[in-house]
Amino acid sequence: MTTILPQHRIERVRYELAKRNVTVRKVERSGDGFARITFAGETLQGFQSQSFDDHIKFIFQDEQGNTVMRDYTPLAATAEDGQLTLEFALHGHGAAASWAQQAEEGMQAIIAGPKGSMIIPAQQDWHLLVGDASSLPAIRRRLAELPPSAHVEVILLRADSHDSWALPQQANWSVSQLADGEALLAALRGWQVPDGHGFAWCAGEGGLMRQARSILLEEKQLPREGVKVAAYWRLGEADFHERLA
């Protein structure tokens, strides 16, 4: 049995669930298909998000006046300043993408959650991050949190463009951006498990993530406590999230 050292141990914390009325403070469109939107409001005082893959419910009104809810990862939060930043993918024709395309200072929304955090320590011997556009905000946040000396491999599915997403680079960080799911799975099969105690994190479309889970747990035989796989979306469903491992 592998002994999990204290610096590698995952911590789970719960928060009191709250709904918070917020206002758009700033909108930044990066040019790579995403909008980074900062929200502000006194209700954000006390907001907590301690893990890079935390999820909040973003609640807004669509163009027809209907109330819509979508899951998002807090990209950055400064509770003491009452600000929260989310990153929205602008591709496609979904209600949230349409809202973000038209977002401007002063628009209103509601933030609910997160319910809790699964805190994965940065002091791992290695980190594997796998995902698609839906997981990019979580991966960007994780890379911002990790020390430059960390051993990191990122495998991304980017099917919508030949251009690369902007991600930070460090000497021990490897980033692959691939054009289709089969290429992503092939890269995952070709990945060599590094020595030491690490953590593999994957998120994206449900069918693809189930295959990724099988590779990591069955083919690579990683310990379950060192793997988290989530379906952030599923084909044909507008609002979906499921933990797979």
Side-chain angles (χ1 to χ4, degrees), residues 124-199:
Q124 307 286 341
D125 296 315
W126 53 265
H127 306 262
L128 175 67
L129 304 171
V130 180
D132 59 14
S134 67
S135 69
L136 191 61
I139 290 175
R140 287 199 218 259
R141 176 173 169 180
R142 185 57 165 172
L143 293 176
E145 294 172 347
L146 291 175
S149 59
H151 181 97
V152 184
E153 185 148 357
V154 181
I155 303 175
L156 292 170
L157 169 59
R158 178 161 192 179
D160 62 333
S161 172
H162 295 296
D163 297 330
S164 295
W165 286 316
L167 289 169
Q169 296 286 334
Q170 299 292 345
N172 294 327
W173 297 9
S174 171
V175 178
S176 302
Q177 300 192 38
L178 306 171
D180 59 67
E182 288 303 316
L184 182 144
L185 295 174
L188 198 54
R189 287 192 172 97
W191 171 68
Q192 298 297 312
V193 182
D195 293 333
H197 189 286
F199 199 92

Side-chain angles (χ1 to χ4, degrees), residues 41-61:
E42 292 183 1
T43 59
L44 286 170
Q45 296 290 337
F47 177 88
Q48 294 187 72
S49 173
Q50 298 184 64
S51 178
F52 69 96
D53 71 342
D54 286 348
H55 277 75
I56 57 94
K57 282 289 185 184
F58 178 67
I59 306 169
F60 61 99
Q61 302 291 314

Side-chain angles (χ1 to χ4, degrees), residues 43-129:
T43 59
L44 286 170
Q45 296 290 337
F47 177 88
Q48 294 187 72
S49 173
Q50 298 184 64
S51 178
F52 69 96
D53 71 342
D54 286 348
H55 277 75
I56 57 94
K57 282 289 185 184
F58 178 67
I59 306 169
F60 61 99
Q61 302 291 314
D62 67 10
E63 294 175 344
Q64 289 73 44
N66 301 313
T67 298
V68 182
M69 295 189 295
R70 294 289 185 268
D71 284 311
Y72 279 91
T73 299
L75 183 67
T78 52
E80 63 275 12
D81 296 331
Q83 294 193 27
L84 168 69
T85 302
L86 303 178
E87 195 168 46
F88 295 77
L90 299 178
H91 57 80
H93 304 285
S98 297
W99 188 93
Q101 286 275 17
Q102 302 172 35
E104 58 184 18
E105 187 175 345
M107 288 176 60
Q108 306 290 312
I110 297 173
I111 302 296
K115 296 179 180 179
S117 295
M118 188 180 90
I119 305 170
I120 304 165
Q123 294 79 15
Q124 307 286 341
D125 296 315
W126 53 265
H127 306 262
L128 175 67
L129 304 171

